[in-house]
Amino acid sequence: MIKRIWHQTISYLSISCMLLSLFSCGTDRNTNKDHLVFRYNEYANINTLDPAFSRTLQDNSVCNQLFNGLVQLDDNLNILPCIAKDWAISEDGKTYTFNLRNDVYFHKHERFGKDSIRTVVADDFTYSLNRLRDEKLAASGSWVLNKVDDFKAINDTIFEISLKQPFPAFIGLLTMKYCSVVPKEIVEFYGTEFRSHPIGTGPFKFKRWEENIKLVFRKNELYFETDEEGKPLPYLEAVSLTFLPDKQSEFLQFAQGNIDYLQGLDASYKDELLTADGKLRATYKPSVNMTTGPFLNSEYLGFYLDSETPEIQSKLIRKAINYGFDRKKMMMYLRNGIGNPANGGFIPIGLPGYNKSIGFTYQPEKAKQLISQFKKESGITNPEITLVTSSNYLSFCEFIQRELEKAGLKINVDVMPEATLRSSRSEGKVDMFRSSWVADYMDAENYLSIFYSKNFTPKGSNYFHFKNKTVDSLYNKAFMISDIEERKQLYTTIDSIAMDNAIMVPLFYDEVVRFTRKNVNGLGINPINMLDLRYVNKSLE
């Protein structure tokens, strides 16, 4: 143990010296055009540029630069006009009528004919939503239309959606990238390759994608939105992404000034950037800006309940893991206090339905008692579970591993690449896994959909294969209730049932943490951590 600590200390000192050198000496980059290009790294990689399949935060962030929908969110998660300049909802809450702008163009493409451009019309939304619900396509986002009865173009600028039943959160669903408008002639020309040849209406247009290496967008000169002074958006000329899978390498690129933006914290550099209480260290204040804000993201460990492993099937063991480690201590040591310990349920702080009393607190003796009870009832003297994680959350899993070992449970920690873990989790190939859930819209329903039995993976997001008749009944009932206080009570009840069954281990409710170079301006922050580059500009360093 002493040898290991000494080795880590030497490593941290080496990194510190290297980074101090990088920040003090600067770089010899040619900055003539640097202020026109926004550069960042996406360590978790990109799966697709097709919004119908954009299910991860990183996919949403790139699709947000390329595509638009009827409506959009601002940084406070207010729903604003986008391609629809306004809308009306019928008295019975079932019909939504959208009036579209007539000055929105798809990105230039030769398939559009003589001028290589085409105006967006209401029929494009008919096509896009029909494509989204096409069973043959099996789009990840098809579920957002589950409550939709029909939709149609009244004319070129009026689009109507009819619901099967009132659903107050529906307008929020339409802000998701799944509901982006795409052009029929381009999608049908590329087929499945539309994922790597996207044509949308967004502030940036696709230029080049070398998978696992680089992704480049260029400014859309025909973009329809302007700033408050009437100046065309976006300000930048280009966006350039790299895909270094190692967070420490990503940080070094940021330190050298080769990338402009660093998202989140990682054990490899958090102590270099932050003090123990989560403040930016004085060394980096001259070169770096740090921005934090609420993040509607629940980090958790999940159990695959259809597993044949006795320990996974046992509620005793699942509850023991929940009781067996100190979340507050974990956050202090592993996140420098950034984020909130998840002692409540799955619904995070900030959403109606959150309740701090329905989760688990640190009770090590209770954990030991439950594990002992499992041993006695099952006859298994040495209970053991394998937990699968990505490298970026290894420190959290090892912390839990050490704490549960004290209670009598052996946890083996396996590390997989993020993309492989996502695939294995969806296919039910891992018994216990680390994951996260980011709110797509301001209603707790999108959290509780993960407990609904009809959403079993791989067709839905119920990675646990949890099935409970009461949960299903309450989940469906919530759609019929417009009063937020009444829905809130139902949401809390559903969450508490899931917690009572211990189908997951909530770890923490996250905070958005963004680091930018000092010359980056206009990059906002929002509770769903969506990257919006429309208003970003860079000054010469």
Side-chain angles (χ1 to χ4, degrees), residues 108-158:
K108 289 185 177 181
H109 195 282
E110 59 185 12
R111 300 293 296 183
F112 290 136
K114 181 181 177 181
D115 297 323
S116 298
I117 61 173
R118 181 168 74 73
T119 306
V120 173
V121 295
D123 267 332
D124 291 312
F125 280 99
T126 303
Y127 171 76
S128 299
L129 297 188
N130 272 324
R131 177 176 182 260
L132 188 61
R133 67 177 3 175
D134 184 352
E135 293 184 0
K136 293 181 180 178
L137 187 68
S140 306
S142 61
W143 62 270
V144 303
L145 301 178
N146 285 347
K147 302 300 178 184
V148 172
D149 181 38
D150 191 23
F151 43 80
K152 59 186 177 182
I154 305 300
N155 55 41
D156 281 354
T157 59
I158 299 179

Side-chain angles (χ1 to χ4, degrees), residues 16 19-20 23 251 272-273 280-288:
S16 297
L19 294 175
L20 284 171
F23 274 94
F251 176 63
E272 302 297 333
L273 268 178
L280 188 65
R281 290 191 181 276
T283 307
Y284 303 108
K285 286 184 178 180
S287 304
V288 175

Side-chain angles (χ1 to χ4, degrees), residues 147 165-169 443-445 448 470-484 486-492 494:
K147 302 300 178 184
Q165 61 192 49
F167 179 35
D443 194 280
E445 180 274 333
L448 303 180
T470 302
V471 165
D472 287 352
S473 176
L474 293 176
Y475 179 77
N476 286 318
K477 182 180 179 181
F479 290 114
M480 306 298 293
I481 299 172
S482 58
D483 181 76
I484 185 59
E486 192 175 346
R487 281 214 316 279
K488 175 181 173 180
Q489 293 178 10
L490 287 182
Y491 290 160
T492 301
I494 294 171

Side-chain angles (χ1 to χ4, degrees), residues 20 22 46 142 151 184 227 260 284 327 401:
L20 284 171
L22 289 171
I46 300 296
S142 61
F151 43 80
K184 177 180 179 180
D227 65 15
D260 303 302
Y284 303 108
R327 291 166 174 82
Q401 177 189 47

Side-chain angles (χ1 to χ4, degrees), residues 68-325:
N68 297 103
L70 292 164
V71 289
Q72 62 185 327
L73 295 173
D74 67 8
D75 283 346
N76 295 316
L77 301 190
N78 297 307
I79 298 171
L80 302 178
C82 192
I83 295 179
K85 57 186 178 182
D86 57 51
W87 63 92
I89 305 173
S90 63
E91 289 188 9
D92 63 5
K94 294 170 63 176
T95 302
Y96 291 68
T97 303
F98 299 89
N99 294 306
L100 309 188
R101 301 175 64 123
N102 60 6
D103 60 348
V104 180
Y105 299 92
F106 287 113
H107 300 153
K108 289 185 177 181
H109 195 282
E110 59 185 12
R111 300 293 296 183
F112 290 136
K114 181 181 177 181
D115 297 323
S116 298
I117 61 173
R118 181 168 74 73
T119 306
V120 173
V121 295
D123 267 332
D124 291 312
F125 280 99
T126 303
Y127 171 76
S128 299
L129 297 188
N130 272 324
R131 177 176 182 260
L132 188 61
R133 67 177 3 175
D134 184 352
E135 293 184 0
K136 293 181 180 178
L137 187 68
S140 306
S142 61
W143 62 270
V144 303
L145 301 178
N146 285 347
K147 302 300 178 184
V148 172
D149 181 38
D150 191 23
F151 43 80
K152 59 186 177 182
I154 305 300
N155 55 41
D156 281 354
T157 59
I158 299 179
F159 184 67
E160 186 177 274
I161 301 177
S162 301
L163 304 185
K164 299 173 185 176
Q165 61 192 49
F167 179 35
F170 177 69
I171 193 71
L173 285 174
L174 294 179
T175 67
M176 298 178 68
K177 301 321 295 182
Y178 293 137
C179 300
S180 301
V181 67
V182 296
K184 177 180 179 180
E185 53 267 67
I186 306 300
V187 174
E188 293 186 349
F189 175 71
Y190 285 113
T192 57
E193 291 305 307
F194 184 71
R195 67 175 291 278
S196 56
H197 295 82
I199 294 293
T201 60
F204 296 92
K205 58 187 179 182
F206 174 74
K207 179 66 176 178
R208 179 164 58 98
W209 186 18
E210 297 176 50
E211 294 199 42
N212 305 311
I213 300 174
K214 193 167 188 176
L215 176 62
V216 179
F217 301 149
R218 296 296 301 273
K219 179 178 182 176
N220 175 16
E221 302 89 347
L222 299 176
Y223 191 58
F224 60 95
E225 289 190 296
T226 60
D227 65 15
E228 292 181 352
E229 298 178 353
K231 184 178 179 179
L233 297 174
Y235 302 139
L236 295 166
E237 287 294 327
V239 179
S240 178
L241 283 75
T242 52
F243 299 100
L244 294 172
D246 177 66
K247 289 289 285 183
Q248 185 172 343
S249 298
E250 178 183 80
F251 176 63
L252 290 173
Q253 288 295 305
F254 177 71
Q256 290 173 324
N258 294 326
I259 58 177
D260 303 302
Y261 164 71
L262 187 67
Q263 164 60 44
L265 291 177
D266 186 74
S268 65
Y269 62 75
K270 67 179 182 65
D271 292 323
E272 302 297 333
L273 268 178
L274 301 183
T275 60
D277 60 352
K279 306 296 183 183
L280 188 65
R281 290 191 181 276
T283 307
Y284 303 108
K285 286 184 178 180
S287 304
V288 175
N289 284 327
M290 174 183 172
T291 310
T292 62
F295 189 8
L296 297 180
N297 172 39
S298 295
E299 297 284 344
Y300 69 94
L301 306 180
F303 300 101
Y304 181 62
L305 302 181
D306 280 343
S307 168
E308 296 180 358
T309 304
E311 289 88 341
I312 297 294
Q313 294 175 354
S314 172
K315 190 189 297 188
L316 297 173
I317 292 294
R318 300 197 304 266
K319 284 192 171 183
I321 295 173
N322 270 288
Y323 284 122
F325 66 101

